[in-house]
């Protein structure tokens, strides 16, 4: 039987429970000192102060632990739940460094898109890639995420747009999910942009997705979620409502790229449809904040995107004060946000968006898990949850922000197994 004892962590730091943490609840994290976690078959069996855990294992000291239980030494290290990056676009072909420089010289993201660049340029590149290449690049990106403590990641299609290339992206993710330690949750994002071949018939493209692509994706079980980029130059609120309603009837869970560049009340639409999350929300209105606060929909903020686009951050502090449940994710993609940096994201959330560190931890763990409908399995360190644990270089979780924008992840345990350990220099 697969067993593991994580012994003598200087701290175990975790939110508690399986549901979305809203408003003030986001500050409630438990900090246990000198504590251990015992896992079997990938699941946490019990955790608590060292002596209690030893006792439950029938031992008075570490030396008496049965030989068939491997031990990881947690001395001098704080332990947290594995991080959940609940919004990424990590499977793509090509890069857009030229466009990044154009943006620096003042051209807007939507203007680049209007000229046929932006998402369409990554679509062109992704269509020319084979599934093997997409998977190989994806694997390297996952390795980098793992080294930053990410144990569950969401990945979107949306750089193929036609059936064949969307399938190719999603199949690459499926393969990676079967072979890489990080769990990958897949999202169909055909409604990312209107492809060139439907340039003069956006309504036709919406019909094509609903009638042709989505049923196939569902049939082949290639995606659990369906997402829409609800934005000017992409899909308006009615197209988004109609597509997501159909997706819901087909059995997809829902997400929306909402109120990123213009406010279209995508946040309120997410609440209305019972979406798992509304994401971006830089331009969110009072009305959408209220709608999200009254719903079970996670409000996912993506500070690295605002940072890379040089835009104001989503009003996370205000949303929390209004009672929303916030998740933090990277939005890693080759256009608006070519960074998957968890440390940068945490620094921006706390130093620039006014979130407290406990709120940021909640946002990156249990609320991220809820944004992926996995709050009952991951996102906290508690008996019965999956054994997904991150150990830091330091004894105190506050180093996560104090050691600003620095990756201080030392060890990662996924499903009760050691999957990453920092190389000692
Ligand atoms: O979440 N906003 C739309 N989609 C992505 C960007 C995709 C791209 O620029 O390639 C985002 O920011
Ligand atoms: Fe995105």
């Amino acid at each position: 039987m697969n067993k593991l004892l994580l012994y003598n962590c200087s701290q175990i730091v975790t939110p508690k429970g399986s549901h979305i943490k809203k408003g003030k609840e986001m500050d409630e994290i438990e900090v246990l000192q000198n504590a251990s976690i015992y896992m079997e078959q990938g699941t946490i069996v019990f955790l608590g102060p060292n002596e209690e855990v030893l006792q439950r294992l029938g031992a008075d000291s570490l030396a008496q632990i049965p030989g068939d239980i491997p031990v990881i030494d947690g001395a001098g290290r704080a332990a947290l739940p594995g991080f959940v990056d609940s919004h990424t676009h990590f499977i793509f072909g090509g890069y857009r460094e030229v466009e990044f420089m154009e943006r620096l010289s003042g051209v807007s993201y939507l203007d680049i898109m209007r000229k046929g660049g932006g998402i369409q340029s990554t679509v062109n590149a992704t269509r020319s890639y084979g599934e093997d290449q997409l998977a190989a690049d994806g694997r390297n990106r996952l390795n980098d995420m793992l080294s930053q403590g990410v144990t569950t990641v969401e990945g979107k299609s949306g750089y193929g747009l036609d059936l064949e290339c969307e399938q190719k992206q999603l199949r690459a993710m499926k393969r990676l999910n079967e072979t890489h330690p990080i769990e990958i949750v897949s999202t169909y994002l055909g409604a990312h942009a209107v492809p060139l071949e439907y340039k003069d018939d956006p309504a036709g493209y919406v019909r094509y997705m609903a009638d042709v692509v989505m049923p196939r994706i569902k049939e082949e079980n290639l995606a659990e979620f369906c997402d829409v980029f609800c934005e000017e130059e992409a899909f308006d609120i009615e197209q988004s409502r109609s597509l997501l309603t159909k997706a819901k009837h087909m059995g997809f869970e829902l997400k929306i790229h909402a109120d990123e560049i213009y406010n279209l009340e995508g946040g309120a639409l997410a609440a209305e449809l019972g979406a798992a999350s509304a994401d971006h929300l830089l331009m969110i209105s009072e009305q959408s904040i209220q709608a999200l606060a009254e719903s079970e929909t996670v409000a996912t903020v993506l500070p690295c995107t605002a940072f890379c686009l040089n835009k104001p951050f989503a009003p996370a502090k205000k949303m929390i004060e209004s009672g929303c449940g916030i998740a933090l994710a990277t939005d890693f993609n080759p256009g608006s946000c070519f960074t998957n940096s968890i440390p940068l994201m945490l620094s921006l959330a706390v130093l620039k968006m006014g979130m407290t560190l406990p709120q940021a931890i909640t946002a990156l763990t249990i609320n991220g898990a809820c944004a992926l409908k996995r709050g009952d399995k991951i996102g906290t360190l508690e008996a019965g949850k999956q054994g997904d644990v991150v150990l830091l270089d330091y004894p105190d979780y506050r180093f996560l922000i104090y050691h600003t924008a620095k990756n201080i992840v030392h060890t990662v345990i996924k499903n009760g197994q050691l999957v990453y350990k920092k190389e000692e220099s």
Side-chain angles (χ1 to χ4, degrees):
M1 191 166 25
N2 159 23
K3 301 174 178 178
L4 186 68
L5 174 62
L6 177 52
Y7 182 67
N8 192 26
C9 304
S10 55
Q11 292 179 334
I12 293 179
V13 181
T14 183
K16 304 280 280 284
S18 300
H19 293 101
I20 172 176
K21 303 288 164 182
K22 292 164 73 173
K24 288 190 186 63
E25 288 171 344
M26 288 189 67
D27 268 300
E28 293 165 11
I29 58 167
E30 179 180 84
V31 181
L32 295 174
Q33 312 283 345
N34 305 319
S36 302
I37 307 177
Y38 178 65
M39 297 164 249
E40 265 181 15
Q41 302 287 57
T43 301
I44 298 175
V45 182
F46 42 80
L47 81 170
N50 294 335
E51 310 70 51
E52 264 179 40
V53 171
L54 287 179
Q55 234 170 41
R56 298 271 307 253
L57 292 170
D60 289 328
S61 68
L62 193 59
Q64 291 178 359
I65 292 291
D68 67 328
I69 303 181
V71 179
I72 291 182
D73 182 11
R77 307 196 183 285
L80 291 102
F83 300 148
V84 181
D85 191 350
S86 62
H87 180 144
T88 83
H89 311 243
F90 79 96
I91 295 289
F92 56 83
Y95 294 97
R96 286 162 36 203
E97 71 286 1
V98 174
E99 184 184 299
F100 187 88
M101 302 315 283
E102 273 174 26
R103 285 210 310 274
L104 286 182
S105 65
V107 188
S108 81
Y109 179 81
L110 288 186
D111 277 340
I112 291 170
M113 202 163 158
R114 271 178 211 115
K115 286 189 309 185
I119 293 169
Q120 182 66 47
S121 101
T122 299
V123 170
N124 298 340
T126 306
R127 286 180 177 177
S128 76
Y129 274 49
E131 188 183 311
D132 287 352
Q133 187 61 48
L134 287 176
D137 290 353
R139 175 172 301 281
N140 288 331
R141 293 169 191 151
L142 288 173
N143 288 340
D144 190 67
M145 293 176 196
L146 187 68
S147 73
Q148 300 180 64
V150 173
T151 49
T152 305
V153 71
E154 183 256 16
K156 302 176 195 293
S157 67
Y159 291 127
L161 306 183
D162 61 20
L163 172 65
E164 197 192 357
C165 190
E166 289 287 302
Q167 282 172 321
K168 185 170 70 182
Q169 276 194 280
L170 292 166
R171 284 180 186 142
M173 280 190 257
K174 191 168 190 169
R175 267 164 63 177
L176 290 168
N177 187 39
E178 284 157 7
T179 52
H180 194 279
I182 296 185
E183 182 184 3
I184 300 160
V185 180
S186 293
T187 297
Y188 168 65
L189 176 59
H192 200 189
V194 177
L196 273 183
E197 56 273 22
Y198 278 96
K199 196 167 159 291
D200 301 319
D201 183 19
Y205 181 56
V206 173
R207 278 198 303 277
Y208 166 71
M209 284 188 281
D211 298 345
V212 179
V213 187
M214 279 154 53
R216 282 293 294 277
I217 302 288
K218 194 73 217 165
E219 213 173 270
E220 289 180 50
N221 200 15
L222 282 174
E224 203 174 317
F225 286 81
C226 180
D227 194 345
V228 171
F229 186 19
C230 179
E231 185 59 73
E232 291 197 6
E233 299 300 317
F235 299 87
D236 67 23
I237 199 86
E238 279 319 316
Q239 290 169 324
S240 302
R241 179 181 279 110
S242 132
L243 203 65
L244 289 171
T245 303
K246 287 183 181 147
K248 192 174 173 175
H249 288 142
M250 288 181 208
F252 289 98
E253 296 286 354
L254 309 182
K255 291 183 167 290
I256 310 187
H257 280 66
D259 307 331
E260 179 183 1
I261 298 166
Y262 290 100
N263 175 275
L264 303 184
E265 302 299 352
L269 178 63
E272 172 193 320
L273 297 176
S277 70
D279 303 41
H280 281 293
L281 309 173
L282 274 58
M283 306 306 289
I284 190 167
S285 68
E286 206 63 56
Q287 179 191 335
S288 277
I289 292 179
Q290 276 320 314
L292 287 173
E294 284 159 22
S295 74
E296 295 298 296
T297 299
V298 176
T300 301
V301 298
L302 310 162
C304 295
T305 311
F307 182 66
C308 292
L309 291 177
N310 238 325
K311 290 194 177 289
F313 295 104
K317 187 170 169 8
K318 181 174 165 194
M319 284 193 269
I320 293 170
E321 284 164 2
S322 304
C324 294
I326 303 279
L328 277 164
T330 63
D331 194 24
F332 178 50
N333 74 72
S336 63
C337 184
F338 189 46
T339 176
N340 62 333
S341 173
I342 299 290
L344 173 64
M345 182 180 77
L346 286 174
S347 298
L348 294 173
V350 176
L351 292 167
K352 294 291 176 197
M353 298 170 87
M355 292 173 72
T356 65
L357 182 56
Q359 287 170 359
I361 289 170
T362 298
L364 187 54
T365 56
I366 184 65
N367 279 2
C370 291
L372 299 182
K373 293 281 177 189
R374 279 163 170 69
D376 57 336
K377 294 195 183 68
I378 55 173
T380 69
L381 298 176
E382 292 175 283
K385 289 269 181 111
Q386 212 165 282
D388 293 1
V389 191
V390 167
L391 285 183
L392 305 182
D393 286 325
Y394 294 99
D396 193 300
Y397 75 97
R398 287 170 290 201
F399 280 76
L400 275 173
I401 184 66
Y402 166 51
H403 206 152
T404 311
K406 176 78 179 164
N407 181 20
I408 59 163
V409 169
H410 182 273
T411 300
V412 182
I413 295 164
K414 174 69 183 175
N415 261 320
Q417 287 191 311
L418 177 68
V419 289
Y420 170 81
K421 196 166 172 205
K422 192 176 266 178
E423 278 176 30
E424 309 292 347
S425 49

